[in-house]
Amino acid sequence: MNTQIIKVSPINPEHNVINLAAEILKIGGLVAFPTETVYGLGADAFNPIAVRKVFEAKNRPPDNPLIVHISSSEQLMELTDFLPEVGKIITDAYWPGPLTIVVKASKFIPAIVTGGLETVAVRMPNNKVALKLIEALDKPIVGPSANLSGKPSPTSAEHVFHDLSGKIDLILDAGSTEIGVESTVIDITVHPPLILRFGGLTKEKIEQLIGDVKTTEDLKYKKRSPGTRYRHYAPEAKVVLFERSDALAFNQLVQKYIEEGYKVGYIIYSDEIRPDKNLIGRILSNDIEVYAKELFHSLRDLDLQDVGVILVESVEPRGLGLAIMDRLIKASKSKNK
Ligand code: AMP
Ligand code: MG
């Protein structure tokens, strides 16, 4: 299959491009599209054959359910028969945005979407291309990250092409994504609500609105979100984390891996770390929002430069930093360690 890439304006998506993409979805094809978090791999959520192709293209385990993307609150009511009050409050406040709610699934949703669970994950993305595409199809679309399972999520059309060219019909290219980490996933079928995955919307912002929530760490409920069982976000290179601002640890790690024969790369942000000019790396912003936007891109870039190990400076685990540390810890658990 030849994968087309078409540029589309993020501000004023061209009708002809959106209509072409919607036509592809209508006949069961796959279209990668931008969201404000990362690029998603879209298929008609009510077409089980198309959804199966999403799992195949990504090589995604079948028991890792997909997030269904919607463009209006009415569509939510096609996906569930019951929206708890907290669900109404947080979606009124934070949709469209980087928030995914898990609710009881209506019987109309194909089992392949939910991995056979009784619940479904739903989100309204804050991106005009994504919203227009869903509107044009006039149906919800599934939208897992448009990468190969286990790899860093794609924050540009080039990343999608790198992983999925030849496996999907079309990539809508609207430039780099704004947030750069995935949505926050919260299960509102339980009380208090349970954050299953940290992401673009901080726990603090959710708690401001609906009071205390639990996290899988509080409850050791790891099993509740099927996706968390798998290796994730990992580049080909080995990822090794070190403490914030710890120049000594950084230098020791550099020496150790060079002695072991590795080509060493780094991702850092604090002034204390002063890498040797011969090393390949990225110095990211210490503004956590800018850092998040650049992280996956930097991991992929260093991979393209064939480094064998990437030393990554840890970030403070609060706010968006919780989502980032979650990704980095998972990336560091790669199979080749
Ligand atoms: P992805 O689209 O790959 O960024 O990941 C979607 C995330 O949502 C994964 O961590 C899934 O396990 C989680 N998820 C999707 N549907 C459900 C559900 N019904 N219940 C719990 N977690 C879900
Ligand atoms: Mg993903």
Side-chain angles (χ1 to χ4, degrees):
M1 178 191 296
N2 183 24
T3 301
Q4 266 197 89
I5 304 187
I6 304 184
K7 284 213 187 302
V8 58
S9 161
I11 304 156
N12 243 328
E14 294 78 359
H15 292 294
N16 57 334
V17 178
I18 295 294
N19 288 340
L20 169 75
E23 286 306 315
I24 293 174
L25 294 175
K26 240 173 239 170
I27 57 172
L30 305 187
V31 175
F33 62 98
T35 79
E36 78 279 37
T37 58
V38 302
Y39 273 73
L41 181 55
D44 175 350
F46 286 106
N47 179 342
I49 296 165
V51 176
R52 167 154 306 122
K53 289 192 215 160
V54 168
F55 281 90
E56 284 165 5
K58 282 180 58 66
N59 197 15
R60 184 176 174 108
D63 63 348
N64 187 6
L66 304 179
I67 295 174
V68 180
H69 289 63
I70 59 173
S71 60
S72 70
S73 305
E74 290 77 60
Q75 281 174 337
L76 176 60
M77 300 327 290
E78 295 166 23
L79 299 169
T80 185
D81 301 326
F82 177 61
L83 180 66
E85 188 58 26
V86 282
K88 180 155 172 38
I89 296 170
I90 49 175
T91 58
D92 278 351
Y94 296 126
W95 271 2
L99 168 74
T100 294
I101 58 170
V102 171
V103 290
K104 205 153 176 355
S106 91
K107 58 177 184 298
F108 303 110
I109 304 173
I112 187 166
V113 171
T114 61
L117 297 175
E118 287 182 351
T119 53
V120 62
V122 187
R123 158 166 131 84
M124 192 190 292
N126 187 15
N127 177 291
K128 281 199 178 152
V129 175
L131 292 171
K132 292 277 174 207
L133 179 62
I134 301 164
E135 266 170 37
L137 180 69
D138 200 21
K139 275 200 238 173
I141 60 183
V142 295
S145 47
N147 55 338
L148 287 173
S149 253
K151 295 287 155 210
S153 293
T155 57
S156 73
E158 289 76 27
H159 299 163
V160 180
F161 190 79
H162 179 271
D163 279 17
L164 300 179
S165 99
K167 296 180 166 181
I168 66 177
D169 298 282
L170 173 66
I171 302 170
L172 294 176
D173 178 1
S176 292
T177 57
E178 282 150 52
I179 296 181
V181 290
E182 300 82 349
S183 62
T184 301
V185 179
I186 186 165
D187 184 346
I188 56 168
T189 65
V190 290
H191 185 79
L194 176 66
I195 293 184
L196 296 173
R197 176 178 77 182
F198 292 117
L201 181 67
T202 61
K203 178 175 180 238
E204 291 85 342
K205 277 198 158 171
I206 293 175
E207 288 189 325
Q208 271 167 20
L209 207 64
I210 60 170
D212 281 356
V213 298
K214 294 283 180 201
T215 71
T216 47
E217 264 116 66
D218 302 330
L219 296 178
K220 301 210 172 10
Y221 265 3
K222 294 265 185 229
K223 280 199 171 156
R224 292 200 53 124
S225 187
T228 54
R229 284 204 289 274
Y230 298 102
R231 194 169 77 95
H232 252 101
Y233 315 116
E236 292 302 318
K238 185 200 281 276
V239 171
V240 177
L241 288 171
F242 65 95
E243 283 299 313
R244 279 179 281 155
S245 309
D246 191 343
L248 184 64
F250 175 76
N251 292 332
Q252 284 173 345
L253 286 167
V254 170
Q255 204 179 343
K256 167 178 147 64
Y257 284 108
I258 287 179
E259 274 167 17
E260 288 179 20
Y262 281 96
K263 181 166 171 186
V264 177
Y266 61 82
I267 295 176
I268 58 173
Y269 60 92
S270 62
D271 296 339
E272 287 87 346
I273 315 296
R274 304 239 169 94
D276 191 278
K277 287 201 177 55
N278 300 322
L279 300 178
I280 304 168
R282 295 285 176 280
I283 302 177
L284 300 187
S285 168
N286 62 7
D287 172 338
I288 196 75
E289 290 188 4
V290 183
Y291 182 106
K293 203 175 145 110
E294 289 294 320
L295 176 65
F296 287 138
H297 179 64
S298 305
L299 290 169
R300 281 179 177 263
D301 260 8
L302 290 173
D303 251 358
L304 290 177
Q305 297 187 61
D306 272 340
V307 301
V309 59
I310 307 174
L311 306 178
V312 185
E313 183 176 0
S314 300
V315 303
E316 202 180 338
R318 69 182 166 85
L320 207 49
L322 277 171
I324 290 168
M325 281 311 287
D326 168 70
R327 307 313 186 258
L328 287 176
I329 289 168
K330 291 205 173 98
S332 72
K333 289 186 182 146
S334 68
K335 61 174 184 256
N336 52 0
K337 270 194 84 179

